[in-house]
């Protein structure tokens, strides 16, 4: 997809102006039109059906592209073009809300996923009220109200879904229709209980007060919907609470701007990554709701950079449709709820088109992102992350010691989108296939909803995934899993967590697999990450279950185990080149992007490279440097490795690693040309 040359200010970073956004929206909308069914009420895009079925997927295709059409139409002064964009959606509303019609939508009372799509319909109808809603026949408006009212009081999970009901009720009230004030009150109250400070929300929790669900939903849902509720509710919304929501979004955006790479890629962490540039939605909301968090030039740099990143990397090739994937189609990135039209939640980014052409967002010159201004290391307390960005290569890396999206009181199977020790803007987690759930009632009520359970039904799945982890291997090579883990400490450049190693049985629907309290468990693993520039020093200490921090360093107990530490996975169109010596393992792409693991203590063994195919969203060939202790593991000593991710150039070697001194459980790190840090593990 290409955009026309603009006739106003040209950006020094992305080259994008408002005209590029308009052209992109028009092109995306044109691509879906051939897939609309009779009556234009259901849009069936090609691809595997979601867990909700094809009828639901057709509604999703309508609702999510209607949101895009609404932003495009409401923000233009070309009324004829707006009418052309909205005409098929007006027809679709008439057909979809007809309960006896052949092209009806699934009802919210029948299908939970319809409650999600109802919120997109409500926002789109609100934004196009004078262009569409006010011009619909009375009978269609009444049928639409009847359909939306089924969302009122409907069951929703205790997460961002509470806002789907609240937004729908706000629209119903604005239309003079019966609504559910309790739904609004509940969303407001629940959201307060999920606020973790410094602009971050947990997307719900399964244990009150124990917040650990952090991902892109924080921005494209938890911040977006409360403010849009206020926009729709207008005079009915509490202005003081709206001010609070604006301030929280402002605080979040200060962190979020540090999680965007110079190439426009957002962080590859969390579920629903196929929504792609929906990650730009909180930046768009920051401008639309005038939070003042970021300058207009920085906001435009962030949102335009994200959208252009995906378009430039083939997200719509070859048919103009957003595929299930990241850059190119990649089915393994799906969740069970992902359908062919799910990627069109990316439409949320186009809320920027509601800003008029003379808004500062469009007239200001783009400003560099934080990672383009200079190197940084930044602690993000709520999610328990340390983020490090490097100007030379534009990469952002995150050490994860605070979020695993799992109940904190029971062992779980690792979810690759949450359980890894590190995530970056230039690497993606290695993924096992998404497997169908066992048929019939499942004895473990948690299993069906967790991607870790869905992807790792056999321990062999995890055994093949070496990326960004710390695991204990049994004699047969089965690695331990991490979740849930406990936060221990977070400073300006260091994060520490610990977890009980455990080995879940196959997720086969049996009582044994469901009885998590009886899963085989082993020693405690404490890990620390110290970040500086392109480096992470990863420290690991393994202690028996009945040992304290002063356990004898020479003690050993239980069955023989070996420690495996995985580095950053590197993916490419062709197999990355490899360089392995006694002291390090390194893999490199032709463009110079390099991932390496260095041993920091002599005699610890030889690192290696694990290769895989079709497991990574960034390319069909992936390679991960990793290290496996050569002998059964003694409990107590601190293990130290240096992990590198950077781009020194296609031929240049990475810089020399930091030096580390270990004295018992105290570790001193000497950064080259930088500070010295000491940590007791």
């Amino acid at each position: 997809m290409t955009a026309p040359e603009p006739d106003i200010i040209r950006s020094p970073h992305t080259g994008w102006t408002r005209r590029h956004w308009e052209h992109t929206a028009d092109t995306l909308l044109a691509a879906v039109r051939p897939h609309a069914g009779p009556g234009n009420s259901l849009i069936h895009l090609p691809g595997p059906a979601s867990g909700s079925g094809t009828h639901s997927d057709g509604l999703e295709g309508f609702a999510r592209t209607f949101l895009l059409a609404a932003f495009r139409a409401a923000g233009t002064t070309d009324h004829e073009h707006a009418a052309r964009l909205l005409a098929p959606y007006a027809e679709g509303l008439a057909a979809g809300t007809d309960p006896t019609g052949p092209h009806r939508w699934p009802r919210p009372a029948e299908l939970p996923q319809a409650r999600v799509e109802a919120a997109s319909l409500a926002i789109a109808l609100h934004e196009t009220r004078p262009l569409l809603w006010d011009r619909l026949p009375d009978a269609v408006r009444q049928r639409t109200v009847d359909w939306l009212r089924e969302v009122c009081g409907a069951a929703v999970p205790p997460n961002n879904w509470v806002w789907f009901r609240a937004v729908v009720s706000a629209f119903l009230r604005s239309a003079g229709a019966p609504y559910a004030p309790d739904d609004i009150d509940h969303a407001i109250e629940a959201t307060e209980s999920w606020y973790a400070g410094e602009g971050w929300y947990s997307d719900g929790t399964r244990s009150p007060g124990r917040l650990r669900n952090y991902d892109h939903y924080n921005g494209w849902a938890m911040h977006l919907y409360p403010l849009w509720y206020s926009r729709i509710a207008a005079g009915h919304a509490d202005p003081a609470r709206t001010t609070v929501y604006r301030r929280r979004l402002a605080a979040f955006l200060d962190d979020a701007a540090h999680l965007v790479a110079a190439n426009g890629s957002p962080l590859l962490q969390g579920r629903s990554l196929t929504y792609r540039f929906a990650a730009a939605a909180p930046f768009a909301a920051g401008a639309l709701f005038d939070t003042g968090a970021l300058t207009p030039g920085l906001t435009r740099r962030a949102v335009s950079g994200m959208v252009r990143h995906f378009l430039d990397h083939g997200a719509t090739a070859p048919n103009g449709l957003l595929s299930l994937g990241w850059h190119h189609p990649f089915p393994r990135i799906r969740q069970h709820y992902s359908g062919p039209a799910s990627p069109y939640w990316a439409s949320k980014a186009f809320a920027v088109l509601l800003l008029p052409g003379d808004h500062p967002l469009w007239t200001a010159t783009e400003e560099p992102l934080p990672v383009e201004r200079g190197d940084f290391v930044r602690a993000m307390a709520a999610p328990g992350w340390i983020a490090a960005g490097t100007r030379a290569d534009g990469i952002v890396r995150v050490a994860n010691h605070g979020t695993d999206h799992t109940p904190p009181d029971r062992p779980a199977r690792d979810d690759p989108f949450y359980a890894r020790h590190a995530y970056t803007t230039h690497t993606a987690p290695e993924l096992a296939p998404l497997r169908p759930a066992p048929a019939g009632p499942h004895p473990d009520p948690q299993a069906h909803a967790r991607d870790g359970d869905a992807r790792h039904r056999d321990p062999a799945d995890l055994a093949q995934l070496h990326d960004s982890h710390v695991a204990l291997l049994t004699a047969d090579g089965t690695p331990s899993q991490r979740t849930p883990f406990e936060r221990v400490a977070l400073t300006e450049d260091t994060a520490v967590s610990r977890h009980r190693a455990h080995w879940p049985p196959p997720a086969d629907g049996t009582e044994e697999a469901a009885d998590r309290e009886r899963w085989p468990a082993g020693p405690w693993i404490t890990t620390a990450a110290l970040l500086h520039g392109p480096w992470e020093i990863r420290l690991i200490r393994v202690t028996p279950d009945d040992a304290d921090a002063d356990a004898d360093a020479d003690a050993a107990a239980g069955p023989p185990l070996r420690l495996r530490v995985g580095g950053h996975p590197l993916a490419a169109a062709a197999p990355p080149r490899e360089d392995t010596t006694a002291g390090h393992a390194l893999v490199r792409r032709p463009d110079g992007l390099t991932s390496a693991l260095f041993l920091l203590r002599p005699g610890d063994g030889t690192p290696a490279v694990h290769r895989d195919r079709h497991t990574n969203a960034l390319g069909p060939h992936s390679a991960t440097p990793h290290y496996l202790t050569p002998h059964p593991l003694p409990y107590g000593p601190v293990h130290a490795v240096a992990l590198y991710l950077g781009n020194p150039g296609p031929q240049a070697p990475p810089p020399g690693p930091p030096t580390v001194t270990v004295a018992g459980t105290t570790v001193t790190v000497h950064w080259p040309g930088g500070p010295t840090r000491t940590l007791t593990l």
Side-chain angles (χ1 to χ4, degrees):
M1 178 184 294
T2 59
E5 284 298 311
D7 54 10
I8 52 177
I9 293 176
R10 183 173 180 82
S11 159
H13 294 285
T14 68
W16 271 46
T17 66
R18 197 177 200 282
R19 284 189 59 194
H20 293 85
W21 280 83
E22 292 171 341
H23 173 77
T24 301
D26 290 343
T27 305
L28 289 170
L29 289 168
V32 304
R33 292 271 34 101
H35 302 277
N40 281 313
S41 59
L42 300 169
I43 297 178
H44 289 289
L45 302 181
S50 71
S52 297
T54 56
H55 195 195
S56 171
D57 296 343
L59 168 61
E60 190 172 70
F62 179 94
R64 299 191 179 194
T65 60
F66 181 28
L67 189 63
L68 175 59
F71 291 153
R72 174 69 175 100
T76 185
T77 57
D78 185 344
H79 300 303
E80 291 185 2
H81 186 59
R84 287 192 298 271
L85 290 174
L86 295 177
Y89 293 97
E91 182 182 356
L93 282 163
T97 58
D98 183 351
T100 61
H103 312 301
R104 74 175 187 93
W105 294 333
R107 310 287 297 192
E110 303 168 336
L111 184 74
Q113 186 63 33
R115 301 162 202 170
V116 179
E117 309 315 321
S120 292
L121 295 174
I123 292 173
L125 289 170
H126 172 77
E127 297 301 333
T128 58
R129 191 181 298 268
L131 301 172
L132 179 59
W133 178 256
D134 292 346
R135 301 182 183 186
L136 289 173
D138 289 343
V140 176
R141 281 205 299 266
Q142 185 58 53
R143 291 204 306 267
T144 303
V145 164
D146 292 342
W147 190 91
L148 289 171
R149 283 186 61 197
E150 292 187 11
V151 177
C152 295
V156 294
N159 58 15
N160 68 89
W161 280 45
V162 300
W163 280 105
F164 303 149
R165 295 190 312 189
V167 165
V168 167
S169 272
F171 176 76
L172 289 171
R173 179 169 55 188
S174 74
Y179 69 102
D182 288 348
D183 287 353
I184 296 171
D185 293 342
H186 175 67
I188 292 170
E189 292 168 6
T191 300
E192 289 307 298
S193 72
W194 301 332
Y195 185 62
E198 299 184 10
W200 287 82
Y201 290 101
S202 174
D203 184 18
T205 179
R206 293 185 181 178
S207 299
R210 303 176 74 176
L211 307 179
R212 54 203 303 126
N213 298 350
Y214 302 100
D215 50 32
H216 288 294
Y217 276 85
N218 196 86
W220 66 41
M222 298 307 299
H223 280 294
L224 192 79
Y225 288 110
L227 283 166
W228 229 289
Y229 158 76
S230 298
R231 181 176 172 91
I232 297 173
H236 295 284
D238 178 358
R241 189 167 297 280
T242 301
T243 298
V244 168
Y245 293 151
R246 291 173 63 249
R247 289 174 179 168
R248 289 177 180 175
L249 175 56
F252 171 71
L253 289 174
D254 193 31
D255 273 346
H258 288 79
L259 298 175
V260 183
N263 68 3
S265 177
L267 189 71
L268 278 92
Q269 178 272 344
R271 61 195 178 100
S272 301
L273 290 177
T274 194
Y275 298 167
R276 295 184 174 96
F277 46 82
F283 295 89
L288 184 64
F289 294 101
D290 194 24
T291 63
L294 308 177
T295 63
L298 177 54
T299 299
R300 184 153 125 252
R301 168 70 183 101
V303 295
S304 295
M306 278 190 254
V307 176
R308 180 169 180 175
H309 172 80
F310 288 105
L311 299 183
D312 287 351
H313 285 82
T316 59
N319 54 11
L321 299 173
L322 288 171
S323 60
L324 283 163
W326 182 252
H327 288 161
H328 302 283
F330 184 67
R332 290 192 180 193
I333 210 169
R334 297 173 57 224
Q335 269 80 30
H336 279 306
Y337 54 79
S338 302
S342 292
Y344 284 84
W345 242 30
S347 299
K348 293 180 176 185
F350 285 82
V352 293
L353 289 178
L354 295 174
L355 299 170
D358 61 354
H359 189 277
L361 180 84
W362 304 118
T363 59
T365 300
E366 285 188 4
E367 300 173 14
L369 294 162
V371 75
E372 295 174 302
R373 295 197 295 264
D375 292 4
F376 66 82
V377 176
R378 184 181 182 94
M380 300 182 182
W385 293 349
I386 303 291
T390 42
R391 181 181 181 184
D393 47 33
I395 299 172
V396 178
R397 311 148 191 82
V398 164
N400 172 35
H401 289 261
T403 179
D404 54 20
H405 207 274
T406 194
D409 55 349
R410 302 182 69 203
R413 294 177 178 85
D414 286 353
D415 186 326
F417 295 110
Y418 295 96
R420 298 294 185 258
H421 279 74
Y423 294 93
T424 85
T425 55
H426 284 58
T427 64
E430 299 276 284
L431 300 177
L434 185 65
R435 302 175 184 273
H442 200 288
D444 184 354
Q446 293 184 32
H448 74 283
R450 289 187 43 80
D451 257 43
D453 293 308
R455 294 181 187 276
H456 302 143
R457 297 210 171 277
D458 190 306
D461 288 339
L462 191 67
Q464 297 305 310
L465 303 180
H466 291 59
D467 61 300
S468 299
H469 78 172
V470 172
L472 296 178
L473 271 60
T474 58
D476 64 0
T478 302
S480 63
Q481 300 193 36
R482 184 187 187 200
T483 49
F485 56 83
E486 302 174 1
R487 302 185 188 205
V488 174
L490 186 78
T491 68
E492 69 275 7
D493 63 356
T494 304
V496 185
S497 64
R498 73 172 198 151
H499 66 278
R500 180 86 182 272
H502 57 279
W503 291 265
D508 53 10
T510 63
E511 292 289 345
E512 178 187 6
D515 188 358
R516 295 171 183 250
E517 302 303 329
R518 295 173 58 191
W519 286 0
W524 285 91
I525 304 176
T526 301
T527 56
L530 291 82
L531 271 63
H532 183 82
W535 293 98
E536 176 194 341
I537 301 300
R538 188 173 298 169
L539 308 173
I540 305 105
R541 185 171 183 238
V542 182
T543 54
D545 182 41
D546 58 354
D548 60 20
D550 298 321
D552 184 351
D554 295 324
L561 300 169
R562 299 172 72 187
L563 174 69
R564 188 173 74 192
V565 183
H568 299 284
L570 208 62
R577 291 190 291 116
E578 172 183 340
D579 175 18
T580 303
T581 70
H584 76 265
L586 175 151
V587 291
R588 187 195 301 269
R589 290 193 330 205
D591 64 358
L593 185 64
T594 301
S595 171
L597 183 150
F598 290 79
L599 297 183
L600 298 176
R601 303 183 69 181
D604 276 352
T606 301
V609 171
H610 176 79
R611 295 184 178 273
D612 233 319
R613 295 190 64 190
H614 307 298
T615 57
N616 197 291
L618 296 181
H621 299 272
S622 55
T624 305
H626 68 98
Y627 162 66
L628 182 64
T629 53
H631 305 294
L633 184 75
Y635 291 167
V638 174
H639 299 260
V641 300
L643 303 175
Y644 172 86
L645 180 70
N647 194 332
Q651 303 300 326
T659 58
V660 171
T661 303
V662 179
T665 59
T666 298
V667 180
T668 302
V669 179
H670 308 273
W671 297 111
T676 297
R677 297 283 286 112
T678 299
L679 174 71
T680 298
L681 199 62

